[in-house]
Amino acid sequence: MSLKQLSTKITALTGRNVFDILVFLLLAMVVIKLISLNTGVTVDDDTWSDFKTEHNCQLQKSAYGNQEASWLCDDGKVYYRWRQQR
């Protein structure tokens, strides 16, 4: 079955153009991904205060010394500003 025949069958079954369906599916996937990213960040933000205290995180300055750039924690990792900006 050729691509054109497949496209024609899909159009007949759905009443829509195949391109419209693909655009809709792409937008739906983008929305789902954005929601999952937001949920993941919110979960991390909810525990940041406790994590910072438990791991003795110290605020680090940028190379210029004028901005709070990151947190250095006793677990050996550096956590960056986006995590505590909310």
Side-chain angles (χ1 to χ4, degrees):
M1 179 180 302
S2 72
L3 186 59
K4 185 169 179 134
Q5 289 173 335
L6 181 62
S7 174
T8 304
K9 283 188 177 188
I10 291 173
T11 302
L13 288 173
T14 62
R16 293 183 178 257
N17 190 343
V18 175
F19 180 75
D20 292 344
I21 294 170
L22 292 176
V23 169
F24 175 77
L25 290 175
L26 179 67
L27 288 175
M29 288 176 18
V30 167
V31 167
I32 290 169
K33 183 62 178 175
L34 288 174
I35 290 170
S36 71
L37 288 173
N38 185 41
T39 303
V41 170
T42 303
V43 168
D44 286 344
D45 285 347
D46 291 344
T47 60
W48 173 247
S49 295
D50 295 335
F51 180 85
K52 181 174 61 173
T53 304
E54 290 172 9
H55 290 276
N56 193 25
C57 297
Q58 301 297 317
L59 188 60
Q60 303 293 300
K61 299 288 183 177
S62 67
Y64 302 107
N66 60 354
Q67 293 181 2
E68 300 170 349
S70 60
W71 293 85
L72 178 62
C73 300
D74 65 2
D75 64 354
K77 295 182 182 176
V78 175
Y79 297 92
Y80 292 94
R81 282 181 61 160
W82 66 267
R83 190 155 177 189
Q84 71 274 4
Q85 282 182 339
R86 287 182 184 225

